[in-house]
Amino acid sequence: MKILLLLVITLTFPAFAQDSIVLGVHSKTAPLEWRNNGVDQGFNIELMDRIGQLTNKRILVRRKSFQQLVQDVYNPNSDIDVIVVVSPVNMDRKLAQSDPIYATHAKAYTLQGKGLINSWADLIGKRVAIKKGAFVDVFLSDHLQNFDRVDVDLYETGFQLLIKNQVDVVIAESFVARRLLPLYPSVRSSSDALIYGAFNFVANESKTELMYQINEALRQLKLSGEYDRLVNKWFGTGREKVDLTSSEKRMFALAILVAIISAIGMIFTGLISASLRRHTKALDAELIQRRRIEAEISELSKQFQSVLDGIPNGVTIVNQDLQHLWSNDNNIHLLDSAAFYYIDNHAFVLKTAVLEVLSSQTPLIAEMRYQQQFWQLQIHPIAEKQVVILLEETTEQHRLRQANEEVSRLASLGELSAGIAHEINNPTGLIVHAVSLFTAALKDLTPAARHYQQQNPFWLIAGLPPDVAIEELQYSCGSIEEGAKRISRIVNDLKRYAMPHIADQYARVSLNDVVQVAQRLTANQTKVHQISMRLCQPSPIIKGDAQQLHQVLINLIQNACHACTEQHGEIIIETRIAGNTAILSIIDNGCGMSSATLKRITEPFFTTRRNEGGSGLGLSVCSKIIKEHQGEMQMQSSLGKGTQISLIFALEQHT
C-alpha cells in the first residue's frame, strides 16, 4: 500500500510542479522597479510576470545591488536567471540578450552655471563620474576616453561627488537622473543625448534557451498589443509616476504653510482681543457714567412725574411684593409675558429679578427680546423695598449697530481685497499671456519637430518621442492656464464681496431659465449624483441680474455635490410660487451641517473644506447678491440628514 501511494505521488508531482525564473532587480526608480509597502512593482516586473504566464513559469523577484547582479549574471551557477539592464544601441553585451524593451539615453549633468557639454570633446581634461557596469560603462569600453574617469557605484553617488566639486561631470541615464534632479536642485542637464540605449533582459550564456523563450513571449505581447498597454500604463503622458521623496517634500512644505497661516491667525486673534479689551474699558466707563445719571434721575423722578407720563418708554415703580406703586402704563404688559426673555434665551421672572436687585442694592441692566423686538430692561433700587423698572425699545439701535459692524467689516475687507487684487492680477495676467505665447509657439514648432524626427529617428524631447512631448507640453499649458483662471475667479469673488452695491438696472428674469442654465454649467459635477428638477409652470418671474443669479445657483449646486457621496447623492432643485413670493430651493441628502457651522456659513473666509481648496467666499458672495436683489436666503440643515436652502424673492407680476 505504501509503495502504491509513493508511486501515485511520484506520477502526479510533475503535474503540480512549475518551473521558475528568478528576476534580479536593483532600481528604486519609478516606473521601472521599486518597492512600495513591501511589494515589488514597476514596468519591468509586470512585463516579466506576463512573460512568466505565457511561458508557464513562476517569477521570483530577488533584490540586490547593481554590482552584485552584474557579477551574478556572469556566473552560470548564480541563483539569478535574468536581470534588466540598458545596452547601448548597436552594441550587444557579451551575454544572452532579449529584444529591446524600451528606449532611453544618457547625457551629461553639471552644476548650475557651468558650461554646456555639446560633444565628447568638451569632456577632455574633466573629471567624469561613470557608474561601474552600467550601459555608459559598456559604451566607453569600446571608445577612447580623453577625460579623467571616476568610477561610482550609483548615479546618486556621482551627483553627491558633483555637489562636493570632487567631479566636474556626471554621465547618467535619463530615467534615474530625472528622479534625482529634484533632490539636487543645484545640478542641471547640460547636454543633448550622448549615448542612446535600450532596456533589455540579460542572462548568462548558459541560459540561451530561457532567453529564446523570453523573446518569443515578448514578441507575442507586442503582436497582441498588450506590450503597448503596459508601456502606456507606466510611461504614458498626462499622468505623474510615483516619486515618494518629492511627495514627502511637498507635504512638508504644505505643513510649513499651514503652520505659518496658523501663526498669522494667532497674531490676528491677539490684535482683535486687544481691541475688544479697549472697547470693553470704554463701555465700562460709559456704563458707570450712565448709572450715575440714572441715580440722579431717580432722585428727581417726583419732580418730573408729569414729564414721565408722556414719554414712550415704560417706567414702573414696584415694591418687593410686585405691587405697582406707579406706572406710565407704557409697555408694562411685557413684564408679565412669557415671550419676554433675556437675549441669551434665559427665561425672565420679574419677582426673581426684583428680589435680587433689592438684596444686592445693585441695579440690573439687561438686553431683552420680545418676539422680533429688542428691549433694554433696567431695574434700579430707589428705596429699601422699592425699585423703578425702565423699559426701552432698542430694536432700531440694535439693527444700526449690526449694520455699522457689517459696514466696518466690508470696509476693511475692501482695502484688503484691493491690495490682493493688485498683487495677484498682475502676475496672473503675465502667466496667461505667456501661456498663450507658448501655445502658439508649440503649434508653429510642431511641423519642424516632425521634420527633424524624420531625419533623426532617435531624437527625443525630455526622454519622450517629439509628438508625445509636444502633446504633453500642450496639456501642461492648458493646466497652467486653467490654474491662472481659477486664481482670477477667486480674486474676483473677493473683490465682489467687498464691492459696494451699485443700483443695477434689473430686468425680468425667469427662475426656471436660471435653473436650466446652472444645471447645464454644472453637468460635469452632477453626473455622479441623482438630480431631480421640479419646476413650477408657468415659470416664476422676478426682477434681477440673470448672470448673478446663475453664480448663486451654481455655487449652491456645487456645495450640494461636495456634501453628497458619489452614486448615492440626491439633489432636488425646485421652483414654486407662494403668495407674492417666488421661491427657489436646493435640497440634498448629504452630510448636513451642525448648528455652529450653520451660524457662520455666510461669514467671509469661513469654510469646512479648507484642505480641499475652499476659499470661504462662495456663500458670502451669494448672500451679498441675494441681499442686493432684496431677497432672503433661508437654510435648514441637520448632521447626517442633508441640507435645504431656499431663496425667496418678490414675485414680478405678469404683464
Side-chain angles (χ1 to χ4, degrees), residues 509-516 518 533-536 540 542 549-550 552-554 556-557 572-578 581-587 626 632-634 644-649:
V509 178
S510 167
L511 281 188
N512 287 1
D513 290 345
V514 170
V515 172
Q516 292 169 351
M533 292 196 296
R534 304 171 183 174
L535 304 183
C536 173
I542 66 170
L549 295 174
H550 293 158
V552 171
L553 187 54
I554 288 172
L556 296 179
I557 292 175
I572 300 173
I573 307 174
E574 66 176 14
T575 59
R576 67 181 189 275
I577 296 174
T581 61
I583 303 175
L584 170 59
S585 298
I586 301 90
I587 307 167
I626 297 304
E632 180 183 355
M633 179 161 47
Q634 296 181 352
Q644 174 174 338
I645 299 180
S646 297
L647 309 180
I648 304 172
F649 305 94

mmCIF file of all heavy atoms in Angstrom, residues 509-516 518 533-536 540 542 549-550 552-554 556-557 572-578 581-587 626 632-634 644-649:
data_model
loop_
_atom_site.group_PDB
_atom_site.id
_atom_site.type_symbol
_atom_site.label_atom_id
_atom_site.label_comp_id
_atom_site.label_asym_id
_atom_site.label_seq_id
_atom_site.Cartn_x
_atom_site.Cartn_y
_atom_site.Cartn_z
ATOM 1 N N VAL A 509 -36.488 88.255 -15.007
ATOM 2 C CA VAL A 509 -35.718 87.015 -15.108
ATOM 3 C C VAL A 509 -36.628 85.840 -14.764
ATOM 4 O O VAL A 509 -37.370 85.880 -13.777
ATOM 5 C CB VAL A 509 -34.504 87.036 -14.143
ATOM 6 C CG1 VAL A 509 -33.742 85.712 -14.219
ATOM 7 C CG2 VAL A 509 -33.573 88.188 -14.478
ATOM 8 N N SER A 510 -36.544 84.790 -15.587
ATOM 9 C CA SER A 510 -37.289 83.556 -15.317
ATOM 10 C C SER A 510 -36.448 82.653 -14.421
ATOM 11 O O SER A 510 -35.315 82.303 -14.765
ATOM 12 C CB SER A 510 -37.612 82.844 -16.634
ATOM 13 O OG SER A 510 -38.047 81.526 -16.384
ATOM 14 N N LEU A 511 -37.021 82.279 -13.253
ATOM 15 C CA LEU A 511 -36.280 81.395 -12.348
ATOM 16 C C LEU A 511 -36.030 80.033 -12.986
ATOM 17 O O LEU A 511 -34.994 79.409 -12.759
ATOM 18 C CB LEU A 511 -37.038 81.228 -11.033
ATOM 19 C CG LEU A 511 -36.924 82.364 -10.007
ATOM 20 C CD1 LEU A 511 -37.560 81.954 -8.696
ATOM 21 C CD2 LEU A 511 -35.475 82.757 -9.785
ATOM 22 N N ASN A 512 -36.985 79.542 -13.791
ATOM 23 C CA ASN A 512 -36.785 78.253 -14.461
ATOM 24 C C ASN A 512 -35.595 78.313 -15.416
ATOM 25 O O ASN A 512 -34.802 77.370 -15.524
ATOM 26 C CB ASN A 512 -38.040 77.847 -15.229
ATOM 27 C CG ASN A 512 -39.154 77.405 -14.287
ATOM 28 O OD1 ASN A 512 -38.985 77.419 -13.071
ATOM 29 N ND2 ASN A 512 -40.290 77.022 -14.832
ATOM 30 N N ASP A 513 -35.443 79.452 -16.141
ATOM 31 C CA ASP A 513 -34.289 79.601 -17.036
ATOM 32 C C ASP A 513 -32.993 79.608 -16.240
ATOM 33 O O ASP A 513 -31.970 79.046 -16.661
ATOM 34 C CB ASP A 513 -34.411 80.896 -17.849
ATOM 35 C CG ASP A 513 -35.533 80.823 -18.876
ATOM 36 O OD1 ASP A 513 -36.013 79.702 -19.138
ATOM 37 O OD2 ASP A 513 -35.928 81.887 -19.404
ATOM 38 N N VAL A 514 -32.995 80.271 -15.083
ATOM 39 C CA VAL A 514 -31.796 80.303 -14.225
ATOM 40 C C VAL A 514 -31.410 78.884 -13.822
ATOM 41 O O VAL A 514 -30.233 78.503 -13.855
ATOM 42 C CB VAL A 514 -32.047 81.183 -12.983
ATOM 43 C CG1 VAL A 514 -30.903 81.032 -11.978
ATOM 44 C CG2 VAL A 514 -32.206 82.634 -13.384
ATOM 45 N N VAL A 515 -32.404 78.066 -13.428
ATOM 46 C CA VAL A 515 -32.137 76.685 -13.019
ATOM 47 C C VAL A 515 -31.556 75.880 -14.173
ATOM 48 O O VAL A 515 -30.573 75.141 -14.019
ATOM 49 C CB VAL A 515 -33.425 76.026 -12.492
ATOM 50 C CG1 VAL A 515 -33.203 74.536 -12.251
ATOM 51 C CG2 VAL A 515 -33.877 76.693 -11.210
ATOM 52 N N GLN A 516 -32.137 76.018 -15.375
ATOM 53 C CA GLN A 516 -31.680 75.219 -16.505
ATOM 54 C C GLN A 516 -30.266 75.590 -16.930
ATOM 55 O O GLN A 516 -29.450 74.725 -17.254
ATOM 56 C CB GLN A 516 -32.662 75.376 -17.671
ATOM 57 C CG GLN A 516 -34.018 74.733 -17.385
ATOM 58 C CD GLN A 516 -35.077 75.107 -18.405
ATOM 59 O OE1 GLN A 516 -34.855 75.980 -19.230
ATOM 60 N NE2 GLN A 516 -36.237 74.462 -18.336
ATOM 61 N N ALA A 518 -27.890 76.924 -14.960
ATOM 62 C CA ALA A 518 -26.984 76.446 -13.909
ATOM 63 C C ALA A 518 -26.814 74.930 -13.978
ATOM 64 O O ALA A 518 -25.718 74.412 -13.749
ATOM 65 C CB ALA A 518 -27.516 76.855 -12.541
ATOM 66 N N MET A 533 -35.437 67.861 -10.953
ATOM 67 C CA MET A 533 -35.859 69.255 -11.091
ATOM 68 C C MET A 533 -37.391 69.312 -11.082
ATOM 69 O O MET A 533 -38.040 68.617 -11.870
ATOM 70 C CB MET A 533 -35.293 69.875 -12.365
ATOM 71 C CG MET A 533 -33.785 70.045 -12.329
ATOM 72 S SD MET A 533 -33.155 71.179 -13.596
ATOM 73 C CE MET A 533 -33.605 70.281 -15.070
ATOM 74 N N ARG A 534 -37.923 70.108 -10.168
ATOM 75 C CA ARG A 534 -39.369 70.292 -10.050
ATOM 76 C C ARG A 534 -39.668 71.763 -10.308
ATOM 77 O O ARG A 534 -39.617 72.594 -9.401
ATOM 78 C CB ARG A 534 -39.847 69.881 -8.664
ATOM 79 C CG ARG A 534 -39.465 68.445 -8.285
ATOM 80 C CD ARG A 534 -39.771 68.155 -6.824
ATOM 81 N NE ARG A 534 -39.342 66.818 -6.422
ATOM 82 C CZ ARG A 534 -39.385 66.368 -5.173
ATOM 83 N NH1 ARG A 534 -39.833 67.165 -4.184
ATOM 84 N NH2 ARG A 534 -38.973 65.148 -4.885
ATOM 85 N N LEU A 535 -39.911 72.090 -11.558
ATOM 86 C CA LEU A 535 -40.056 73.479 -11.959
ATOM 87 C C LEU A 535 -41.529 73.847 -12.084
ATOM 88 O O LEU A 535 -42.311 73.152 -12.752
ATOM 89 C CB LEU A 535 -39.333 73.721 -13.290
ATOM 90 C CG LEU A 535 -37.844 73.335 -13.304
ATOM 91 C CD1 LEU A 535 -37.213 73.687 -14.633
ATOM 92 C CD2 LEU A 535 -37.097 74.009 -12.163
ATOM 93 N N CYS A 536 -41.881 74.932 -11.436
ATOM 94 C CA CYS A 536 -43.261 75.421 -11.456
ATOM 95 C C CYS A 536 -43.597 75.945 -12.848
ATOM 96 O O CYS A 536 -42.774 76.586 -13.511
ATOM 97 C CB CYS A 536 -43.399 76.523 -10.396
ATOM 98 S SG CYS A 536 -44.983 77.380 -10.432
ATOM 99 N N PRO A 540 -41.879 81.207 -12.384
ATOM 100 C CA PRO A 540 -41.900 82.432 -11.583
ATOM 101 C C PRO A 540 -40.974 83.482 -12.215
ATOM 102 O O PRO A 540 -39.869 83.157 -12.654
ATOM 103 C CB PRO A 540 -41.384 81.979 -10.219
ATOM 104 C CG PRO A 540 -41.566 80.499 -10.204
ATOM 105 C CD PRO A 540 -41.422 80.048 -11.606
ATOM 106 N N ILE A 542 -38.990 87.205 -11.655
ATOM 107 C CA ILE A 542 -38.549 88.188 -10.670
ATOM 108 C C ILE A 542 -37.733 89.261 -11.382
ATOM 109 O O ILE A 542 -37.375 89.104 -12.559
ATOM 110 C CB ILE A 542 -37.682 87.539 -9.556
ATOM 111 C CG1 ILE A 542 -36.373 87.030 -10.141
ATOM 112 C CG2 ILE A 542 -38.439 86.435 -8.850
ATOM 113 C CD1 ILE A 542 -35.374 86.593 -9.090
ATOM 114 N N LEU A 549 -27.541 85.660 -10.599
ATOM 115 C CA LEU A 549 -28.344 84.549 -10.079
ATOM 116 C C LEU A 549 -27.769 83.205 -10.526
ATOM 117 O O LEU A 549 -27.808 82.222 -9.786
ATOM 118 C CB LEU A 549 -29.796 84.700 -10.538
ATOM 119 C CG LEU A 549 -30.533 85.926 -9.973
ATOM 120 C CD1 LEU A 549 -31.898 86.065 -10.606
ATOM 121 C CD2 LEU A 549 -30.664 85.830 -8.453
ATOM 122 N N HIS A 550 -27.216 83.144 -11.770
ATOM 123 C CA HIS A 550 -26.528 81.925 -12.207
ATOM 124 C C HIS A 550 -25.374 81.608 -11.257
ATOM 125 O O HIS A 550 -25.166 80.461 -10.853
ATOM 126 C CB HIS A 550 -25.965 82.108 -13.625
ATOM 127 C CG HIS A 550 -27.035 82.250 -14.675
ATOM 128 N ND1 HIS A 550 -26.804 82.836 -15.894
ATOM 129 C CD2 HIS A 550 -28.346 81.906 -14.663
ATOM 130 C CE1 HIS A 550 -27.916 82.829 -16.595
ATOM 131 N NE2 HIS A 550 -28.864 82.272 -15.875
ATOM 132 N N VAL A 552 -25.026 82.408 -8.119
ATOM 133 C CA VAL A 552 -25.528 81.934 -6.823
ATOM 134 C C VAL A 552 -25.918 80.463 -6.912
ATOM 135 O O VAL A 552 -25.503 79.635 -6.095
ATOM 136 C CB VAL A 552 -26.719 82.785 -6.363
ATOM 137 C CG1 VAL A 552 -27.378 82.157 -5.133
ATOM 138 C CG2 VAL A 552 -26.270 84.201 -6.036
ATOM 139 N N LEU A 553 -26.735 80.110 -7.929
ATOM 140 C CA LEU A 553 -27.246 78.750 -8.014
ATOM 141 C C LEU A 553 -26.131 77.752 -8.310
ATOM 142 O O LEU A 553 -26.111 76.646 -7.764
ATOM 143 C CB LEU A 553 -28.338 78.672 -9.087
ATOM 144 C CG LEU A 553 -29.075 77.335 -9.169
ATOM 145 C CD1 LEU A 553 -29.648 76.935 -7.811
ATOM 146 C CD2 LEU A 553 -30.181 77.384 -10.204
ATOM 147 N N ILE A 554 -25.158 78.134 -9.167
ATOM 148 C CA ILE A 554 -24.031 77.242 -9.459
ATOM 149 C C ILE A 554 -23.259 76.945 -8.177
ATOM 150 O O ILE A 554 -22.878 75.807 -7.900
ATOM 151 C CB ILE A 554 -23.113 77.873 -10.527
ATOM 152 C CG1 ILE A 554 -23.815 77.838 -11.898
ATOM 153 C CG2 ILE A 554 -21.773 77.148 -10.597
ATOM 154 C CD1 ILE A 554 -23.079 78.607 -12.972
ATOM 155 N N LEU A 556 -24.397 77.014 -5.085
ATOM 156 C CA LEU A 556 -25.192 76.153 -4.198
ATOM 157 C C LEU A 556 -25.207 74.711 -4.687
ATOM 158 O O LEU A 556 -25.156 73.767 -3.892
ATOM 159 C CB LEU A 556 -26.614 76.706 -4.087
ATOM 160 C CG LEU A 556 -26.742 78.095 -3.437
ATOM 161 C CD1 LEU A 556 -28.197 78.536 -3.403
ATOM 162 C CD2 LEU A 556 -26.157 78.101 -2.036
ATOM 163 N N ILE A 557 -25.275 74.516 -6.025
ATOM 164 C CA ILE A 557 -25.265 73.156 -6.576
ATOM 165 C C ILE A 557 -23.919 72.489 -6.305
ATOM 166 O O ILE A 557 -23.846 71.313 -5.918
ATOM 167 C CB ILE A 557 -25.569 73.189 -8.089
ATOM 168 C CG1 ILE A 557 -27.031 73.635 -8.334
ATOM 169 C CG2 ILE A 557 -25.336 71.818 -8.716
ATOM 170 C CD1 ILE A 557 -27.378 73.806 -9.786
ATOM 171 N N ILE A 572 -32.287 67.857 -5.247
ATOM 172 C CA ILE A 572 -33.570 68.302 -5.802
ATOM 173 C C ILE A 572 -33.515 69.819 -5.961
ATOM 174 O O ILE A 572 -33.167 70.537 -5.033
ATOM 175 C CB ILE A 572 -34.743 67.905 -4.888
ATOM 176 C CG1 ILE A 572 -34.796 66.369 -4.713
ATOM 177 C CG2 ILE A 572 -36.067 68.433 -5.438
ATOM 178 C CD1 ILE A 572 -35.813 65.915 -3.687
ATOM 179 N N ILE A 573 -33.860 70.300 -7.150
ATOM 180 C CA ILE A 573 -33.939 71.738 -7.420
ATOM 181 C C ILE A 573 -35.385 72.038 -7.824
ATOM 182 O O ILE A 573 -35.904 71.432 -8.767
ATOM 183 C CB ILE A 573 -32.977 72.156 -8.537
ATOM 184 C CG1 ILE A 573 -31.552 71.683 -8.221
ATOM 185 C CG2 ILE A 573 -33.001 73.665 -8.732
ATOM 186 C CD1 ILE A 573 -30.572 71.934 -9.334
ATOM 187 N N GLU A 574 -36.034 72.938 -7.089
ATOM 188 C CA GLU A 574 -37.429 73.216 -7.386
ATOM 189 C C GLU A 574 -37.708 74.716 -7.347
ATOM 190 O O GLU A 574 -37.029 75.474 -6.650
ATOM 191 C CB GLU A 574 -38.338 72.487 -6.397
ATOM 192 C CG GLU A 574 -38.236 72.967 -4.950
ATOM 193 C CD GLU A 574 -39.224 72.262 -4.036
ATOM 194 O OE1 GLU A 574 -39.778 71.249 -4.466
ATOM 195 O OE2 GLU A 574 -39.443 72.739 -2.908
ATOM 196 N N THR A 575 -38.683 75.124 -8.118
ATOM 197 C CA THR A 575 -39.194 76.498 -8.081
ATOM 198 C C THR A 575 -40.686 76.431 -7.775
ATOM 199 O O THR A 575 -41.382 75.495 -8.206
ATOM 200 C CB THR A 575 -38.962 77.211 -9.421
ATOM 201 O OG1 THR A 575 -39.633 76.485 -10.477
ATOM 202 C CG2 THR A 575 -37.471 77.299 -9.745
ATOM 203 N N ARG A 576 -41.168 77.445 -7.021
ATOM 204 C CA ARG A 576 -42.590 77.479 -6.720
ATOM 205 C C ARG A 576 -43.001 78.913 -6.380
ATOM 206 O O ARG A 576 -42.151 79.782 -6.164
ATOM 207 C CB ARG A 576 -42.936 76.532 -5.564
ATOM 208 C CG ARG A 576 -42.361 76.920 -4.214
ATOM 209 C CD ARG A 576 -42.749 75.882 -3.159
ATOM 210 N NE ARG A 576 -42.407 76.289 -1.810
ATOM 211 C CZ ARG A 576 -41.227 76.124 -1.241
ATOM 212 N NH1 ARG A 576 -40.256 75.570 -1.950
ATOM 213 N NH2 ARG A 576 -41.010 76.529 -0.002
ATOM 214 N N ILE A 577 -44.294 79.129 -6.356
ATOM 215 C CA ILE A 577 -44.850 80.442 -6.037
ATOM 216 C C ILE A 577 -45.670 80.307 -4.759
ATOM 217 O O ILE A 577 -46.487 79.392 -4.620
ATOM 218 C CB ILE A 577 -45.726 80.964 -7.187
ATOM 219 C CG1 ILE A 577 -44.865 81.186 -8.439
ATOM 220 C CG2 ILE A 577 -46.426 82.268 -6.791
ATOM 221 C CD1 ILE A 577 -45.673 81.561 -9.665
ATOM 222 N N ALA A 578 -45.422 81.196 -3.804
ATOM 223 C CA ALA A 578 -46.174 81.219 -2.549
ATOM 224 C C ALA A 578 -46.652 82.651 -2.316
ATOM 225 O O ALA A 578 -45.866 83.506 -1.903
ATOM 226 C CB ALA A 578 -45.319 80.731 -1.384
ATOM 227 N N THR A 581 -44.543 85.790 -3.456
ATOM 228 C CA THR A 581 -43.111 85.492 -3.465
ATOM 229 C C THR A 581 -42.812 84.329 -4.406
ATOM 230 O O THR A 581 -43.639 83.437 -4.602
ATOM 231 C CB THR A 581 -42.595 85.133 -2.060
ATOM 232 O OG1 THR A 581 -43.291 83.958 -1.590
ATOM 233 C CG2 THR A 581 -42.812 86.284 -1.087
ATOM 234 N N ALA A 582 -41.615 84.387 -4.975
ATOM 235 C CA ALA A 582 -41.088 83.297 -5.795
ATOM 236 C C ALA A 582 -39.979 82.619 -5.003
ATOM 237 O O ALA A 582 -39.113 83.292 -4.436
ATOM 238 C CB ALA A 582 -40.544 83.831 -7.117
ATOM 239 N N ILE A 583 -39.993 81.281 -4.962
ATOM 240 C CA ILE A 583 -39.060 80.531 -4.120
ATOM 241 C C ILE A 583 -38.279 79.553 -4.985
ATOM 242 O O ILE A 583 -38.857 78.797 -5.777
ATOM 243 C CB ILE A 583 -39.802 79.779 -2.997
ATOM 244 C CG1 ILE A 583 -40.618 80.757 -2.138
ATOM 245 C CG2 ILE A 583 -38.815 78.998 -2.130
ATOM 246 C CD1 ILE A 583 -41.464 80.092 -1.091
ATOM 247 N N LEU A 584 -36.960 79.570 -4.833
ATOM 248 C CA LEU A 584 -36.058 78.630 -5.480
ATOM 249 C C LEU A 584 -35.345 77.836 -4.376
ATOM 250 O O LEU A 584 -34.680 78.411 -3.530
ATOM 251 C CB LEU A 584 -35.029 79.376 -6.347
ATOM 252 C CG LEU A 584 -33.864 78.558 -6.911
ATOM 253 C CD1 LEU A 584 -34.366 77.422 -7.780
ATOM 254 C CD2 LEU A 584 -32.925 79.455 -7.716
ATOM 255 N N SER A 585 -35.507 76.498 -4.381
ATOM 256 C CA SER A 585 -34.948 75.660 -3.309
ATOM 257 C C SER A 585 -33.980 74.637 -3.875
ATOM 258 O O SER A 585 -34.187 74.104 -4.977
ATOM 259 C CB SER A 585 -36.069 74.935 -2.548
ATOM 260 O OG SER A 585 -36.931 75.862 -1.929
ATOM 261 N N ILE A 586 -32.912 74.366 -3.124
ATOM 262 C CA ILE A 586 -31.935 73.321 -3.435
ATOM 263 C C ILE A 586 -31.884 72.394 -2.223
ATOM 264 O O ILE A 586 -31.545 72.826 -1.119
ATOM 265 C CB ILE A 586 -30.533 73.891 -3.731
ATOM 266 C CG1 ILE A 586 -30.583 74.853 -4.910
ATOM 267 C CG2 ILE A 586 -29.551 72.763 -4.018
ATOM 268 C CD1 ILE A 586 -30.852 76.285 -4.519
ATOM 269 N N ILE A 587 -32.218 71.116 -2.417
ATOM 270 C CA ILE A 587 -32.314 70.144 -1.319
ATOM 271 C C ILE A 587 -31.366 68.986 -1.633
ATOM 272 O O ILE A 587 -31.354 68.474 -2.750
ATOM 273 C CB ILE A 587 -33.763 69.627 -1.171
ATOM 274 C CG1 ILE A 587 -34.747 70.800 -1.043
ATOM 275 C CG2 ILE A 587 -33.883 68.692 0.021
ATOM 276 C CD1 ILE A 587 -36.186 70.404 -1.212
ATOM 277 N N ILE A 626 -27.959 87.997 -2.957
ATOM 278 C CA ILE A 626 -29.369 87.853 -2.594
ATOM 279 C C ILE A 626 -29.862 89.129 -1.914
ATOM 280 O O ILE A 626 -30.981 89.613 -2.174
ATOM 281 C CB ILE A 626 -29.563 86.625 -1.668
ATOM 282 C CG1 ILE A 626 -29.167 85.339 -2.402
ATOM 283 C CG2 ILE A 626 -31.013 86.526 -1.223
ATOM 284 C CD1 ILE A 626 -29.891 85.107 -3.696
ATOM 285 N N GLU A 632 -34.184 86.899 0.300
ATOM 286 C CA GLU A 632 -33.849 86.288 1.591
ATOM 287 C C GLU A 632 -33.366 84.860 1.341
ATOM 288 O O GLU A 632 -33.917 84.140 0.489
ATOM 289 C CB GLU A 632 -35.078 86.278 2.493
ATOM 290 C CG GLU A 632 -34.832 85.655 3.865
ATOM 291 C CD GLU A 632 -36.104 85.588 4.713
ATOM 292 O OE1 GLU A 632 -37.149 86.110 4.252
ATOM 293 O OE2 GLU A 632 -36.057 85.014 5.812
ATOM 294 N N MET A 633 -32.323 84.445 2.075
ATOM 295 C CA MET A 633 -31.802 83.093 1.974
ATOM 296 C C MET A 633 -32.050 82.369 3.295
ATOM 297 O O MET A 633 -31.549 82.775 4.334
ATOM 298 C CB MET A 633 -30.305 83.099 1.644
ATOM 299 C CG MET A 633 -29.711 81.696 1.563
ATOM 300 S SD MET A 633 -28.125 81.584 0.656
ATOM 301 C CE MET A 633 -27.221 82.932 1.347
ATOM 302 N N GLN A 634 -32.871 81.316 3.261
ATOM 303 C CA GLN A 634 -33.183 80.524 4.447
ATOM 304 C C GLN A 634 -32.495 79.165 4.327
ATOM 305 O O GLN A 634 -32.549 78.520 3.276
ATOM 306 C CB GLN A 634 -34.696 80.338 4.590
ATOM 307 C CG GLN A 634 -35.456 81.639 4.815
ATOM 308 C CD GLN A 634 -36.957 81.403 4.977
ATOM 309 O OE1 GLN A 634 -37.442 80.286 4.776
ATOM 310 N NE2 GLN A 634 -37.679 82.457 5.322
ATOM 311 N N GLN A 644 -31.314 71.999 3.185
ATOM 312 C CA GLN A 644 -32.242 72.666 2.266
ATOM 313 C C GLN A 644 -31.985 74.165 2.347
ATOM 314 O O GLN A 644 -32.003 74.759 3.420
ATOM 315 C CB GLN A 644 -33.699 72.367 2.616
ATOM 316 C CG GLN A 644 -34.696 73.169 1.761
ATOM 317 C CD GLN A 644 -36.147 72.774 2.015
ATOM 318 O OE1 GLN A 644 -36.405 71.682 2.484
ATOM 319 N NE2 GLN A 644 -37.072 73.644 1.693
ATOM 320 N N ILE A 645 -31.721 74.778 1.192
ATOM 321 C CA ILE A 645 -31.508 76.226 1.100
ATOM 322 C C ILE A 645 -32.582 76.794 0.179
ATOM 323 O O ILE A 645 -32.741 76.341 -0.958
ATOM 324 C CB ILE A 645 -30.105 76.551 0.568
ATOM 325 C CG1 ILE A 645 -29.052 75.993 1.526
ATOM 326 C CG2 ILE A 645 -29.929 78.052 0.385
ATOM 327 C CD1 ILE A 645 -27.631 76.262 1.091
ATOM 328 N N SER A 646 -33.328 77.771 0.690
ATOM 329 C CA SER A 646 -34.409 78.384 -0.079
ATOM 330 C C SER A 646 -34.081 79.851 -0.312
ATOM 331 O O SER A 646 -33.719 80.577 0.616
ATOM 332 C CB SER A 646 -35.746 78.254 0.667
ATOM 333 O OG SER A 646 -36.103 76.893 0.831
ATOM 334 N N LEU A 647 -34.212 80.276 -1.581
ATOM 335 C CA LEU A 647 -34.020 81.677 -1.960
ATOM 336 C C LEU A 647 -35.394 82.279 -2.231
ATOM 337 O O LEU A 647 -36.139 81.776 -3.091
ATOM 338 C CB LEU A 647 -33.131 81.780 -3.202
ATOM 339 C CG LEU A 647 -31.799 81.016 -3.135
ATOM 340 C CD1 LEU A 647 -31.021 81.197 -4.427
ATOM 341 C CD2 LEU A 647 -30.972 81.482 -1.946
ATOM 342 N N ILE A 648 -35.746 83.334 -1.516
ATOM 343 C CA ILE A 648 -37.090 83.917 -1.582
ATOM 344 C C ILE A 648 -36.985 85.318 -2.172
ATOM 345 O O ILE A 648 -36.227 86.160 -1.673
ATOM 346 C CB ILE A 648 -37.729 83.959 -0.181
ATOM 347 C CG1 ILE A 648 -37.751 82.541 0.436
ATOM 348 C CG2 ILE A 648 -39.141 84.534 -0.248
ATOM 349 C CD1 ILE A 648 -38.195 82.507 1.881
ATOM 350 N N PHE A 649 -37.749 85.569 -3.252
ATOM 351 C CA PHE A 649 -37.736 86.856 -3.935
ATOM 352 C C PHE A 649 -39.171 87.376 -4.075
ATOM 353 O O PHE A 649 -40.144 86.602 -4.006
ATOM 354 C CB PHE A 649 -37.124 86.732 -5.340
ATOM 355 C CG PHE A 649 -35.756 86.139 -5.367
ATOM 356 C CD1 PHE A 649 -35.573 84.772 -5.577
ATOM 357 C CD2 PHE A 649 -34.635 86.917 -5.176
ATOM 358 C CE1 PHE A 649 -34.318 84.211 -5.616
ATOM 359 C CE2 PHE A 649 -33.369 86.363 -5.206
ATOM 360 C CZ PHE A 649 -33.210 85.015 -5.421
#
